[in-house]
Each structure stands twice: as structure tokens, then as C-alpha cells.
Amino acid sequence: MEIKALSRVRPQFTAAMDRLWPDALAQIALFPEMRYMGSKRRLLPWIHEVLDTLDFETALDPFSGSNAVSYLMKAMDRRVISSDFLNLSATIGKALIENNAVHVDGSAMKILLAKAAHTSSFIEDNFSGIFYTPEDLRFLDRVSCNLNRLDNACRRSLAMTALIRACVKRQPRGVFTISGDLSKYDDGRRDLQLSIEEHFFEQIDILNQAVFSNGRANRSCCEDVFKVDHGGVDLVYLDPPYVPRSDDNCYVKRYHFLEGLSCYWRGLDIDYSTKVRKIAKRFTPFSYRSQARDAFATLFQRFAGQKIVLSYSSNGYPDLDQLVEIMSETKKNIRVFKKEHRYHFGTHSRAKRSVVEEYLIVGQ
């Protein structure tokens, strides 16, 4: 096993630096950062260094999350399949990974903002007094219903991604575990002063700029990692939930409102006994210490025919030595890259700043 420390950190993405860094990193400067648990957005330059040492043409990212790494691999001119069992992530993937050319233009905005006679009031009826103002909720209902009038799936996903990002910007800390009177979180930030409609307009512009083509037939899907098709794939980038030392790693718990919004709660059951109107958690064996080792063994066996790049952290379970041991059952050549990283999750003054070691475990 070879262990390397790639700790070079790219300065701020500026025009002056573009000529010193690969084109891929110039492109990912346009990727819209979203407060998302475990997002690798700030680690992309380091991940790029590691991926750039590997020979691959097609990549699968089956825990796509915010789609930051899928976007990086697309910018590296690879054909990318992004997937996640959350529709929220699959929607972002269709907007920015599968989509090579479609934008939300003026005619689409006119459709999205139209005050249709038969707009549903589902969001206002179910989340009044929980999240956002009545005006915000009515805007979400109106745009969500008008999305179906757009004639292109990628355009619908791009508009929905803008709506999702608007909701994250408007919600203190970007999570949906808190509700009601949130004035104690109002620290004067601009994001909390703008309405969702104002955020939506800004996000449409940001996302339109992020759309690009790498000339490949990229794809986004909503599948479990153990079911997603990986035929013809050269490399699999794995970023499963980390089994934490404390608390939990449940994305549905934190982002249930966004997951519901992404499909307008179709097919989802709302738990009305909960204050924030939760939806049911999705099972993953990577959330439980008792199942995680077996889950990794099954995962590595499933992708025995592909190069594997596993992203993990020193604050997760199993630990590094255990992961290498499990991977060695299917991979002969294993390299480990390490980087110190500080997670900034949350925006309030007491938000925990966790310093960890990030790992990229490469098996061939």
C-alpha cells in the first residue's frame, strides 16, 4: 500500500490563475456551491490532482450528493454517470451533468412565473408557519406547478435546482431540522433578507452560467448504489455517508423539505406528527456500525472490474486500515492520499468547525 499526501491548495479561483491551472479547474469555479453535508466542493482541486493520475474515460459517481465531483469529472472531459438514491441529487445531476446545452431563458421564465388559474397550494397548506413566509410558500407552489409546462426535462431540472438552491439560501443554516421563529439565527446576512423569488432569479443566472458541454453523453439517474448500471464504466468514485462517531449521517433528516420539493412530494408520505413535516428516512447500511464493514465489502466486490476511488474521512467508521484491508480483497494495487480538511457546516456563530483527515483510497 502506498500512502501519499497531496496537500497543495489552490488559491482563490481568479482569472489570473486560470493560465496556471488546468481548464477543468477553471470550469469548476462556476459550480454553484451549496451548503450540503459532506460536500467536496472545496476539495475539488485536490481530488482533481488524484484523478488526473488515473487512466479512465468513463466514470460513475453513485453517491453524487451535491454533484460537485461529477461536475469536476465532466470538466475533465470524461463521460459521467451521476446517481444517488435521493431525487434531490438526481435533479441537480440532470441539470448540470446530463445537461450539456439547455438554459432557462426568458420564454421559460415567463412560463415559470405565470399566475395560473389552477395552481396547487400544497406547500402553503402543509408548511405554513414552519418554513418561510406565506409569500415564499405561494411562490414555491406556483413555480413548482408551472415546471410541468416546460417542454424539456433538463430545463425543468435546471429550474428546480434553482428553486432548491433558493430554499437553501433562505433557510438559516441550510438545513430543515429547525422551524418556526428563526429570528435568533438572523445575523444580518443578505441571504436571509432576500425572498425566495429574489433568490430564484439570482440562482437561475448562476446555474445558466454553470451549464457546459464536454461533448459526451453524460447521464443522471436516481438509483441505489447496489442497483445502478455500471456496465462499460472505467472508474467508480465512491463517497458514501460516513458512519459518524456521534449524531447521525441522515441526509433525509436535514434535507427532507428539498427532497419533497424536488418531486412536489409525489409518492412521499409526510409525517404530520413531526414539527417540521418529515418524510421517511431512506435505509442505507452505511449508516450503521454493525453493517458498514459488510456493506463496504459488498460495494468493492460489485465494482471489482473498475478502478475505485473511495472518499472517506478520519472521523468515520471503518477506519483507514480497515478500509484498505477490505479493499485488498478485490484490488491488488492500493494507494492512499491524505489531506487535512476543515468542515464548516452551519453558518451560526457556534457552528462546529471539525478538523479531519480526508482520504482518497485508490484501488486498481
Side-chain angles (χ1 to χ4, degrees):
M1 179 183 70
E2 182 181 0
I3 298 181
K4 296 186 177 182
L6 291 181
S7 57
R8 184 165 55 129
V9 179
R10 188 187 185 197
Q12 292 293 321
F13 292 116
T14 63
M17 292 303 296
D18 285 346
R19 61 182 180 271
L20 302 178
W21 287 77
D23 290 342
L25 292 180
Q27 180 62 52
I28 64 172
L30 296 176
F31 182 79
E33 187 167 9
M34 187 169 93
R35 294 201 300 272
Y36 195 78
M37 184 171 64
S39 173
K40 298 300 185 290
R41 174 63 177 81
R42 291 186 298 118
L43 288 168
L44 290 182
W46 174 63
I47 294 172
H48 175 267
E49 289 186 61
V50 176
L51 292 177
D52 206 36
T53 68
L54 302 173
D55 181 19
F56 68 102
E57 285 296 314
T58 302
L60 169 65
D61 180 3
F63 297 96
S64 59
S66 70
N67 280 267
V69 176
S70 284
Y71 193 85
L72 167 64
M73 293 189 291
K74 180 180 178 181
M76 292 175 69
D77 197 29
R78 270 54 171 200
R79 185 172 74 86
V80 180
I81 302 168
S82 69
S83 180
D84 202 285
F85 72 177
L86 293 181
N87 190 66
L88 157 67
S89 296
T91 298
I92 299 172
K94 185 172 284 290
L96 294 176
I97 309 304
E98 182 172 324
N99 180 19
N100 277 337
V102 175
H103 297 85
V104 176
D105 56 15
S107 60
M109 286 295 286
K110 185 176 181 180
I111 292 172
L112 291 169
L113 299 175
K115 295 184 178 180
H118 303 293
T119 297
S120 168
S121 59
F122 179 89
I123 301 176
E124 184 180 8
D125 293 343
N126 286 278
F127 293 96
S128 181
I130 300 173
F131 303 120
Y132 310 127
T133 66
E135 292 76 19
D136 283 338
L137 297 176
R138 283 193 285 271
F139 181 79
L140 289 174
D141 272 320
R142 174 156 46 104
V143 175
S144 296
C145 293
N146 285 336
L147 277 170
N148 295 324
R149 299 174 58 201
L150 297 181
D151 60 358
N152 181 282
C154 286
R155 186 171 285 114
R156 289 193 294 272
S157 293
L158 196 63
M160 175 52 74
T161 299
L163 211 57
I164 288 168
R165 285 178 49 78
C167 288
V168 173
K169 290 280 188 180
R170 187 79 169 91
Q171 176 72 357
R173 299 177 60 189
V175 295
F176 294 84
T177 56
I178 54 176
S179 66
D181 181 8
L182 304 180
S183 58
K184 67 179 180 179
Y185 296 102
D186 189 351
D187 55 7
R189 276 177 292 131
R190 177 177 180 271
D191 282 353
L192 301 183
Q193 313 309 314
L194 299 183
S195 68
I196 285 183
E197 181 172 1
E198 290 169 320
H199 276 300
F200 180 70
F201 275 91
E202 288 191 355
Q203 295 308 313
I204 287 290
D205 185 52
I206 290 170
L207 287 161
N208 276 338
Q209 292 182 54
V211 172
F212 75 101
S213 173
N214 67 351
R216 307 277 187 141
N218 308 296
R219 185 164 61 89
S220 174
C221 53
C222 186
E223 293 283 356
D224 184 271
V225 64
F226 296 112
K227 297 179 180 179
V228 65
D229 182 11
H230 58 284
V233 169
D234 302 322
L235 178 143
V236 180
Y237 171 81
L238 300 172
D239 187 15
Y242 303 163
V243 178
R245 309 287 182 187
S246 60
D247 197 15
D248 61 59
N249 61 4
C250 182
Y251 286 77
V252 174
K253 169 185 173 181
R254 289 166 175 80
Y255 307 114
H256 62 91
F257 183 84
L258 303 180
E259 177 69 2
L261 177 65
S262 71
C263 60
Y264 207 59
W265 287 266
R266 294 180 185 89
L268 299 178
D269 293 324
I270 295 177
D271 184 352
Y272 289 97
S273 69
T274 60
K275 185 177 181 180
V276 293
R277 302 289 193 263
K278 293 180 182 178
I279 58 176
K281 293 182 180 181
R282 295 287 303 273
F283 170 76
T284 172
F286 299 99
S287 291
Y288 304 96
R289 290 179 69 91
S290 62
Q291 301 183 47
R293 281 185 62 99
D294 288 343
F296 275 107
T298 303
L299 190 66
F300 297 153
Q301 184 60 51
R302 176 171 175 76
F303 300 117
Q306 284 80 31
K307 295 180 177 70
I308 292 177
V309 179
L310 171 67
S311 178
Y312 217 65
S313 171
S314 60
N315 65 351
Y317 173 86
D319 63 24
L320 176 60
D321 290 340
Q322 292 171 313
L323 288 169
V324 170
E325 178 187 357
I326 299 168
M327 188 181 287
S328 66
E329 296 175 7
T330 54
K331 300 297 179 185
K332 294 180 179 180
N333 178 16
I334 298 176
R335 293 182 294 159
V336 178
F337 300 85
K338 296 182 178 182
K339 180 175 175 58
E340 187 177 278
H341 182 56
R342 184 182 297 270
Y343 279 103
H344 295 257
F345 189 72
T347 56
H348 57 302
S349 60
R350 296 186 300 279
K352 188 176 181 180
R353 307 301 193 245
S354 301
V355 177
V356 299
E357 249 191 341
E358 285 291 313
Y359 308 133
L360 286 173
I361 307 172
V362 179
Q364 301 184 73

